[in-house]
Amino acid sequence: MPGRDARTAEQAIGELYHACYRRLVAQVYAFTTDLTEAQDVVQEAFARALARPQGLAGVDNPEAWLRTVAVNVVRRRWRRRKLLDAILLRDRPVVRTVEPAPGPERADLREAIAAIPATFREVIVLHYFADLPVEEVAAVLQVPVGTVKSRLSRGRAALAERLGDYRDLGTTSTEVARA
């Protein structure tokens, strides 16, 4: 029955959506630095999975497939924006309205996160980028909630030290770490 297979594929994609949507958005957000675009792109990746006749039945790693589709959508959008900007600027001078793709000069947060110890990095990424509550971070890492809170505090302090040039002139690293 073709209708039954389609319903099963939709259910599988629905379960996959609930299992990895947040994680995919966090990963794409780290790539785009725009939460709205990250959410939109991940939604589009899931829509493309639903549009496939057999869903993701023949895919070995569905989450990796969705991530690849999402990154390709982001890249396509950046190329189209760049082309549109070139066309608009050729016809008449216009103020640039599109943010360029992240380049090496905007990689300071990624570099700072990569430079802190792995135990701090894990909780920072899961809590702030994947938007998991402290209790879920503790469950994922199989550590007590108090350990997660401690690592978050120490991780924020370590990031504040590495990103010191972002501090306003009257704040201390402790105040930045609490923010």
Side-chain angles (χ1 to χ4, degrees), residues 6-179:
R7 198 171 328 114
T8 305
E10 288 176 12
Q11 288 173 340
I13 291 173
E15 291 170 6
L16 182 64
Y17 178 88
H18 291 293
C20 66
Y21 174 78
R22 284 177 156 181
R23 188 169 42 249
L24 289 169
V25 169
Q27 293 164 355
V28 175
Y29 172 70
F31 187 65
T32 64
T33 67
D34 181 348
L35 182 59
T36 304
E37 183 172 19
Q39 291 169 333
D40 188 43
V41 164
V42 171
Q43 289 288 343
E44 186 168 337
F46 275 100
R48 289 183 183 193
L50 281 170
R52 290 171 49 116
Q54 295 298 320
L56 297 176
V59 178
D60 290 336
N61 186 344
E63 186 173 349
W65 185 90
L66 289 165
R67 185 181 314 105
T68 302
V69 169
V71 168
N72 288 339
V73 168
V74 168
R75 289 178 177 158
R76 188 187 78 235
R77 287 181 178 185
W78 284 342
R79 282 192 304 269
R80 287 182 178 175
R81 284 181 194 149
K82 186 176 178 181
L83 177 63
L84 179 62
D85 282 351
I87 291 169
L88 290 174
L89 292 173
R90 182 182 55 198
D91 292 341
R92 59 189 165 101
V94 191
V95 175
R96 184 177 200 95
T97 59
V98 176
E99 181 87 15
E105 70 280 359
R106 293 176 58 193
D108 48 355
L109 178 59
R110 285 187 297 261
E111 290 170 3
I113 289 174
I116 63 176
T119 55
F120 300 159
R121 183 172 50 243
E122 290 171 345
V123 295
I124 295 284
V125 169
L126 288 173
H127 184 67
Y128 292 108
F129 289 109
D131 198 28
L132 296 178
V134 172
E135 294 78 17
E136 283 187 46
V137 174
V140 168
L141 297 177
Q142 298 177 344
V143 297
V145 172
T147 302
V148 171
K149 290 178 180 179
S150 171
R151 289 178 183 175
L152 279 171
S153 175
R154 292 177 182 167
R156 285 190 301 258
L159 285 175
E161 290 299 318
R162 284 176 175 70
L163 298 171
D165 57 333
Y166 285 101
R167 282 185 249 149
D168 292 330
L169 289 173
T171 59
T172 65
S173 62
T174 308
E175 291 170 347
V176 172
R178 283 190 218 137

